[in-house]
Amino acid sequence: MEMGMDTSPSPSSSAPSSASSDSIDLNFLPFLKREPKSEPASPERGPLPLPAATPPPPLQVQAQAAATAASPLPATPDLSAAAVMTPLQSLPPNPEEETLLAEYYRLASLYLSSSAGAAGVIVPAPTPEASAGAVVQPGSGSAAKKRRPRSSELVRVSSLSVRDQIYFRDLVRRARITFESLRAMLLRDDERAEALGLTGVGGFGAVDRRRVRADLRAAALMGDRDLWLNRDRRIVGPIPGISVGDAFFFRMELCVLGLHGQVQAGIDFVTAGQSSSGEPIATSIIVSGGYEDDDDRGDVLVYTGHGGRDPNLHKHCIDQKLEGGNLALERSMAYGIEIRVIRAVKSKRSPIGKVYFYDGLYKVVDFWLDRGKSGFGVYKYKMLRIEGQEAMGSVNFRLAEQLKVNALTFRPTGYLSFDISLGRESIPVALYNDVDDDRDPLLFEYLARPIFPSSAVQGKFAEGGGGCECNENCSIGCYCAQRNSGEFAYDKVGALLRGKPLVYECGPYCRCPPSCPNRVSQKGLKNRLEVFRSRETGWGVRSLDLIKAGTFICEFSGIVLTHQQSEIMSANGDCLVRPSRFPPRWLDWGDVSDVYPEYVAPNNPAVADLKFSIDVSRARNVACYFSHSCSPNVFVQFVLFDHYNISYPHLMIFAMENIPPLRELSIDYGMIDEWVGKLTM
DNA sequence: GTTGAGTCAGAGAA
DNA sequence: CTTCTCTGACTCAA
């Protein structure tokens, strides 16, 4: 099958295609259901305003400059591809309209996702083959795969409306969830294969113990389905849906998203042949810390060109040449083209020991040929960060590390409490306000665990046969695995593999030890959370730790009321959280239907119609201060572990994006209740 | 700390 | 103009 015939939806096009659904019923894709009926306006794009009058600065170094550099520049480099883009006819953004649109979109999102749930998006249980995932080859088959090459069309995406921003954020999140879910599935398959005595991906007879990297395989699966983003144009400047500060764990993921298209090289650029001015143009760089001559001061960065190094040793052995990415950076300087900068920072929270932060846009302001520490010639580029951007992810990361050690040194004022839980949480929860004199969260009793009504839990502790009989950590086939319809919900480091209607963790009636990997959310906080005051969202919550997507954050606590009690209390106008109102965002986590169209979200274990509510008016925990968003970074997963009454599950909150330190956590509450208004005003 | 298989895109040849 | 082959870039996992 030719890729051109592929029936899978292609998110790489900026507007949702009116995909002909030959063989795949697109209607069951939850994501597509949530899209607004009308096409989101495509981003306003325009030709790059290349300063025609800017003469190329005289090359200070006439090294081995490629012929193109030496030849005189055309007065106006004709980036013709950009020129045919829709001309800018943008009105100045109207804040009022933006707010209305945001509200409209929130409601549309709410309506569509909730109606989707009611209309039976949850289709029959996946076959074991489908849920095992990697054993099934994607439908298109890998035979005649022909990857669509990267386009050279150079565009800059600017002034996205609120609605577009949400649209692209969701698009990017979906791609990232697909990537991470595939990777997790492949890893799990590897482990199973190894447990069975088969080795790696080579299958039978493979001798090599080394696994084929799951990140590469996940990217390849997505590539076969044309699911890589932003391949139809080369974007200069910000990538829609990716914010300054976003965190990534794999180089391949950067390629999949189009943030940086080079698997290994640190400089990504449009080649001379592709650019109509005949010159290469750099668009992004990665500062990995691998080059000894780099000098990184944050806002000011001296970056070293690539090349000249021995492939095996990380030593320079010949002079660098002004070609490829090196020349492209120089050309970007001449034209004033902004460069995306991605920094690698060491982190124990990362599966690979480091994390890549998108730190925003820089401009090259100077370049020269220098003698590196090795004694060989290296090209150096002085880059300045463009002002007015969000704080850098790498800076926030370091600040948060310092705050964990000694908060008062870096924030002498503003802390109202270092632990509003008063020791009730496993990790302290700080309270910080440097905005006004509100101290509201201090006035409530901190309740780390919800209190269930006795009628709800009486006799429900050992319901359904009590716990498992495992003496060691639980494994596939044990009673608790069966409860979870044959598979455990978490991977070995405690990340949720995919969202489910309900997760059964091992509990007090299980024999397995506390180290059992099926005990995750019951153990409480693992991240340093902070309740903080902001001018935009009132009270909010942020983390000092980098939170990997899929990991547990905290429980939603309070005094649990029965249906009857809820009716009475809400009549009194009290603050009630209704679990049934959270849109089923868990459907998205683990969704790989873009790659495996046969994938459907699990509909087991079953959960009851939830009629209870949580009263947070007297006692509450940190979860109560999460801000609302229709494009949230956390979601609710229902979990049972201590009692087994399916009408009263715990509301456990998990990350659905990688959440960088100091970024606000946001959740989709569904309807905005009066209490949310009260809390966030 | 060391090692090697693995990827895509660029560059140039066919 | 398209298609191919070679090369360079260095990451991730053991």
Side-chain angles (χ1 to χ4, degrees):
Chain A
M1 186 184 191
E2 293 287 330
M3 280 316 287
M5 309 274 292
D6 199 339
T7 49
S8 64
S10 167
S12 50
S13 53
S14 62
S17 57
S18 53
S20 60
S21 45
D22 295 335
S23 56
I24 301 167
D25 179 15
L26 295 177
N27 289 327
F28 86 98
L29 296 173
F31 174 80
L32 293 176
K33 283 228 162 190
R34 263 212 307 286
E35 280 174 11
K37 290 287 182 237
S38 57
E39 280 193 354
S42 40
E44 291 155 356
R45 306 193 202 101
L48 291 176
L50 292 176
T54 307
L59 295 185
Q60 296 157 8
V61 188
Q62 285 295 344
Q64 310 86 341
T68 47
S71 66
L73 271 181
T76 308
D78 171 30
L79 299 176
S80 60
V84 295
M85 302 303 295
T86 45
L88 272 173
Q89 295 289 344
S90 64
L91 299 167
N94 176 349
E96 217 170 301
E97 188 190 22
E98 295 285 284
T99 314
L100 284 173
L101 264 177
E103 178 66 6
Y104 156 79
Y105 201 93
R106 186 186 63 75
L107 291 172
S109 150
L110 170 70
Y111 166 74
L112 288 165
S113 52
S114 61
S115 65
V121 169
I122 307 175
V123 273
T127 61
E129 289 77 32
S131 58
V135 247
V136 186
Q137 285 302 314
S140 66
S142 50
K145 75 173 170 190
K146 180 141 191 188
R147 206 70 58 83
R148 194 159 51 100
R150 208 149 63 129
S151 159
S152 59
E153 184 186 5
L154 205 54
V155 297
R156 182 184 278 130
V157 184
S158 58
S159 55
L160 291 178
S161 66
V162 169
R163 196 169 146 193
D164 288 336
Q165 287 172 28
I166 295 168
Y167 170 76
F168 284 111
R169 186 83 194 168
D170 287 346
L171 201 67
V172 166
R173 185 188 303 109
R174 183 172 176 85
R176 299 186 69 177
I177 288 177
T178 304
F179 177 83
E180 184 52 34
S181 304
L182 288 172
R183 196 184 141 266
M185 260 167 41
L186 293 165
L187 281 179
R188 199 180 44 171
D189 282 358
D190 284 348
E191 281 158 18
R192 280 185 191 165
E194 277 166 28
L196 292 170
L198 305 167
T199 54
V201 77
F204 305 106
V207 189
D208 191 359
R209 282 269 306 122
R210 196 181 289 259
R211 291 177 195 162
V212 176
R213 282 168 48 180
D215 57 321
L216 302 186
R217 280 187 283 160
L221 285 171
M222 293 179 73
D224 291 345
R225 290 248 158 194
D226 215 0
L227 291 171
W228 289 26
L229 303 184
N230 299 314
R231 288 177 66 81
D232 51 349
R233 64 228 146 120
R234 287 292 192 97
I235 298 177
V236 167
I239 302 287
I242 297 181
S243 313
V244 172
D246 282 352
F248 309 85
F249 293 120
F250 296 92
R251 282 289 290 259
M252 260 304 172
E253 192 178 5
L254 305 179
C255 294
V256 169
L257 301 176
L259 186 59
H260 185 85
Q262 298 290 332
V263 190
Q264 296 189 6
I267 306 170
D268 195 16
F269 60 100
V270 181
T271 60
Q274 289 175 318
S275 129
S276 45
S277 72
E279 299 162 294
I281 303 286
T283 54
S284 63
I285 61 166
I286 295 185
V287 190
S288 312
Y291 279 79
E292 59 191 8
D293 296 311
D294 282 356
D295 182 13
D296 188 359
R297 306 272 171 92
D299 284 344
V300 183
L301 165 66
V302 176
Y303 189 72
T304 311
H306 61 197
R309 300 205 301 177
D310 185 277
N312 297 323
L313 309 162
H314 288 258
K315 289 270 181 188
H316 285 280
C317 51
I318 51 169
D319 291 345
Q320 290 184 343
K321 294 177 182 144
L322 193 58
E323 60 186 22
N326 295 353
L327 179 60
L329 271 179
E330 187 277 326
R331 290 290 83 197
S332 286
M333 176 180 87
Y335 290 123
I337 301 256
E338 62 271 36
I339 309 284
R340 293 186 294 270
V341 170
I342 299 132
R343 275 195 183 77
V345 179
K346 285 196 174 70
S347 166
K348 287 177 185 161
R349 296 290 184 115
S350 160
I352 62 161
K354 64 180 165 186
V355 52
Y356 297 97
F357 287 109
Y358 171 50
D359 273 348
L361 302 175
Y362 285 63
K363 281 200 174 175
V364 189
V365 295
D366 196 8
F367 105 108
W368 64 96
L369 179 63
D370 206 349
R371 193 166 296 283
K373 289 175 180 164
S374 61
F376 291 96
V378 291
Y379 280 95
K380 291 194 171 176
Y381 301 86
K382 183 177 181 187
M383 307 181 66
L384 294 183
R385 189 163 191 260
I386 297 175
E387 288 180 14
Q389 303 181 82
E390 292 289 302
M392 289 187 263
S394 61
V395 167
N396 278 343
F397 181 84
R398 293 204 185 87
L399 172 60
E401 290 298 305
Q402 291 165 331
L403 287 172
K404 281 195 277 184
V405 179
N406 190 350
L408 288 178
T409 307
F410 298 95
R411 286 185 186 152
T413 60
Y415 278 104
L416 302 178
S417 165
F418 285 112
D419 185 13
I420 54 171
S421 88
L422 301 172
R424 290 171 193 147
E425 296 279 16
S426 50
I427 291 184
V429 179
L431 179 66
Y432 182 79
N433 183 355
D434 63 346
V435 171
D436 53 31
D437 53 6
D438 197 323
R439 326 162 51 87
D440 209 46
L442 291 175
L443 306 178
F444 295 89
E445 187 188 343
Y446 194 96
L447 193 63
R449 297 284 180 185
I451 298 174
F452 288 95
S454 54
S455 65
V457 293
Q458 224 152 36
K460 301 286 186 180
F461 291 104
E463 195 165 75
C468 65
E469 301 287 325
C470 303
N471 292 318
E472 304 285 319
N473 287 347
C474 289
S475 54
I476 290 298
C478 88
Y479 183 65
C480 289
Q482 287 172 34
R483 266 204 167 122
N484 287 296
S485 35
E487 58 173 24
F488 286 111
Y490 305 111
D491 71 5
K492 60 184 176 187
V493 292
L496 188 69
L497 287 165
R498 55 175 178 164
K500 303 176 120 189
L502 184 60
V503 166
Y504 283 92
E505 293 190 8
C506 292
Y509 292 86
C510 294
R511 285 254 184 91
C512 60
S515 64
C516 175
N518 195 35
R519 300 171 185 269
V520 173
S521 64
Q522 60 187 268
K523 290 181 179 170
L525 299 190
K526 287 279 189 285
N527 298 296
R528 282 282 289 269
L529 300 182
E530 237 179 40
V531 178
F532 74 104
R533 190 80 174 152
S534 94
R535 293 190 196 281
E536 292 78 34
T537 58
W539 292 107
V541 180
R542 61 194 176 195
S543 167
L544 298 184
D545 291 309
L546 170 63
I547 304 176
K548 186 176 172 293
T551 54
F552 170 71
I553 298 174
C554 70
E555 174 161 12
F556 212 117
S557 176
I559 297 169
V560 176
L561 304 179
T562 64
H563 180 50
Q564 237 177 353
Q565 290 170 324
S566 310
E567 299 291 297
I568 298 165
M569 297 298 279
S570 63
N572 292 346
D574 276 307
C575 304
L576 300 183
V577 179
R578 295 179 184 276
S580 54
R581 284 211 185 148
F582 289 100
R585 292 270 181 184
W586 57 266
L587 286 166
D588 294 346
W589 181 248
D591 183 347
V592 291
S593 54
D594 282 347
V595 171
Y596 299 107
E598 64 274 31
Y599 175 88
V600 286
N603 64 350
N604 269 311
V607 68
D609 186 18
L610 300 179
K611 292 189 169 147
F612 72 92
S613 66
I614 303 179
D615 179 2
V616 294
S617 61
R618 276 151 286 183
R620 53 174 71 163
N621 74 337
V622 58
C624 199
Y625 298 102
F626 280 45
S627 300
H628 169 81
S629 171
C630 56
S631 191
N633 53 19
V634 308
F635 65 97
V636 169
Q637 167 69 62
F638 298 120
V639 175
L640 285 179
F641 63 91
D642 48 357
H643 69 77
Y644 292 115
N645 186 345
I646 60 167
S647 299
Y648 288 88
H650 292 264
L651 276 62
M652 300 302 192
I653 298 174
F654 286 76
M656 67 170 172
E657 294 179 0
N658 298 329
I659 305 176
L662 301 181
R663 172 165 300 172
E664 181 160 12
L665 309 181
S666 64
I667 192 167
D668 188 350
Y669 283 105
M671 309 270 211
I672 293 197
D673 260 331
E674 58 282 6
W675 72 267
V676 174
K678 273 181 197 163
L679 287 176
T680 57
M681 282 326 227

